[in-house]
């Protein structure tokens, strides 16, 4: 695994009573890089077959596929598509079922993130952020509901601690993640009892690409009870728990944030 995604080894005795994920199938949006790639590696290590969606990260996607195929050939399908195109969303799900014959897990991980200060936000920015962060997860979930119901599967949405604690100058992004929390709970009611729907809300895990304000970073870390950042493995292991072990959990938002969400 990459240096950002360290596999935690579990003894065979601990694994004895766990549900096997061997040959189960997961679709992961935005799965070529960062947290998405760590989720992909973690689920693949458990024996799952993957459909990894990417948009602009073709090189990273091919490298990840090659890495995973080295461990288990023909277990990863890459699908490059724009989540803003509604016609492509149903196709993404159908490609999974055509390639692997079933669908057990949908991980809505892909996300757009950039500032939209009030007074400067454009309609194009609104459409992009809402489209990728909220509309796509809904319509992907709708397309996946049928095969997931057959499989008794689950949906995992990646939300954000900023849904509850808005990040300044990012009002549209904040709203999309708050909406995704609402969607998680709504879909849990709509798709139960066959399909479980939960969300993971990362705190300070990976800083955004580009310029990063180190003072703001340290300020955030100082307000976190664990006084440190997390890493992508923390998120990936939580996704794995929700997929494999949390059979009586649905409609829940799991905050993986070092305790930041409990501090005023």
């Amino acid at each position: 695994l990459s240096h950002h995604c360290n596999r935690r080894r579990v003894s065979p005795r601990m694994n004895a009573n766990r549900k096997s994920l061997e040959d189960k199938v997961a679709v992961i949006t935005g799965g070529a890089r960062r947290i998405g790639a760590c989720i992909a590696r973690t689920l693949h290590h458990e024996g799952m077959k993957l459909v990894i969606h990417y948009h602009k990260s073709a090189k990273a996607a091919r490298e990840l596929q090659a890495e995973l195929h080295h461990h288990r050939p023909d277990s990863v399908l890459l699908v490059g598509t724009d989540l803003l195109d509604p016609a492509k969303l149903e196709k993404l799900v159908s490609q999974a079922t055509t390639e692997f014959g079933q669908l057990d897990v949908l991980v809505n991980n892909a996300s757009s993130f950039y500032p939209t200060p009030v007074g400067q936000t454009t309609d194009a920015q609104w459409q992009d952020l809402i489209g990728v962060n909220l509309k796509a997860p809904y319509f992907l979930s709708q397309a996946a509901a049928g095969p997931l119901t057959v499989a008794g599967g689950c949906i995992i949405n990646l939300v954000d601690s900023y849904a509850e604690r808005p990040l300044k100058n990012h009002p549209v992004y904040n709203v999309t993640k708050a909406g995704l929390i609402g969607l998680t709970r709504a879909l849990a009611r709509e798709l139960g009892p066959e399909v479980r729907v939960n969300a993971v809300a990362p705190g300070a895990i990976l800083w955004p690409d580009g310029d990063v304000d180190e003072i703001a970073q340290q300020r955030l870390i100082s307000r976190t009870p664990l006084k440190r950042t997390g890493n992508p493995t923390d998120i990936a292991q939580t996704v794995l728990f929700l997929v494999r072990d949390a059979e009586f959990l649905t409609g829940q938002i799991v905050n993986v944030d070092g305790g930041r969400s409990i501090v005023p």
Side-chain angles (χ1 to χ4, degrees):
L1 300 188
S2 76
H3 66 285
H4 283 312
C5 183
N6 301 310
R7 189 167 65 226
R8 293 172 182 169
R9 297 193 179 276
V10 182
S11 71
R13 180 178 298 177
M14 290 180 68
N15 275 331
N17 296 321
R18 284 181 168 168
K19 179 176 69 175
S20 172
L21 297 182
E22 196 80 23
D23 292 327
K24 302 291 187 181
V25 179
V27 169
I28 306 170
T29 66
R33 299 175 59 248
R34 295 167 63 87
I35 289 174
C38 190
I39 293 170
R41 291 185 176 100
T42 299
L43 296 183
H44 189 267
H45 175 66
E46 294 296 317
M48 295 193 75
K49 298 174 180 176
L50 305 180
V51 176
I52 296 178
H53 156 269
Y54 66 92
H55 184 206
K56 297 178 180 178
S57 303
K59 181 174 183 290
R62 288 193 297 269
E63 289 172 352
L64 179 60
Q65 183 188 44
E67 172 193 329
L68 298 180
H69 276 176
H70 176 74
H71 298 287
R72 190 153 28 92
D74 303 320
S75 56
V76 178
L77 173 67
L78 299 181
V79 178
T81 194
D82 185 353
L83 294 181
L84 292 174
D85 184 343
K88 302 269 180 77
L89 302 180
E90 285 192 19
K91 187 177 179 183
L92 178 57
V93 172
S94 67
Q95 284 175 286
T97 55
T98 299
E99 180 75 11
F100 295 124
Q102 65 192 71
L103 179 60
D104 302 272
V105 178
L106 170 62
V107 181
N108 286 309
N109 167 73
S111 186
S112 276
F113 174 85
Y114 47 81
T116 54
V118 173
Q120 301 175 36
T121 306
T122 67
D123 181 70
Q125 291 173 330
W126 172 273
Q127 297 297 339
D128 175 60
L129 287 164
I130 292 287
V132 173
N133 297 359
L134 186 55
K135 182 179 178 181
Y138 177 79
F139 283 99
L140 277 171
S141 298
Q142 178 172 269
L148 288 176
T149 296
V150 171
C154 66
I155 298 170
I156 314 293
N157 295 322
L158 272 290
V159 294
D160 199 308
S161 57
Y162 291 135
E164 304 285 350
R165 296 170 175 274
L167 177 64
K168 188 170 176 59
N169 291 324
H170 292 70
V172 182
Y173 175 81
N174 298 331
V175 164
T176 66
K177 292 301 185 176
L180 192 52
I181 286 177
L183 180 62
T184 299
R185 292 171 174 151
L187 288 177
R189 293 203 68 181
E190 297 291 331
L191 301 181
E194 294 85 3
V195 180
R196 297 178 295 108
V197 187
N198 293 290
V200 180
I205 302 293
L206 289 178
W207 305 109
D209 291 331
D211 294 334
V212 177
D213 184 338
E214 292 188 11
I215 294 176
Q217 284 184 30
Q218 292 306 315
R219 190 180 301 122
L220 177 62
I221 293 168
S222 71
R223 295 198 300 268
T224 300
L226 293 187
K227 305 298 183 192
R228 60 179 176 82
T229 60
N231 64 67
T233 303
D234 296 314
I235 305 305
Q237 290 291 328
T238 304
V239 171
L240 175 60
F241 163 73
L242 290 172
V243 169
R244 184 186 60 193
D245 304 318
E247 294 187 346
F248 198 54
L249 216 62
T250 195
Q252 303 305 306
I253 315 302
V254 183
N255 291 294
V256 185
D257 61 1
R260 177 71 186 97
S261 54
I262 66 171
V263 178

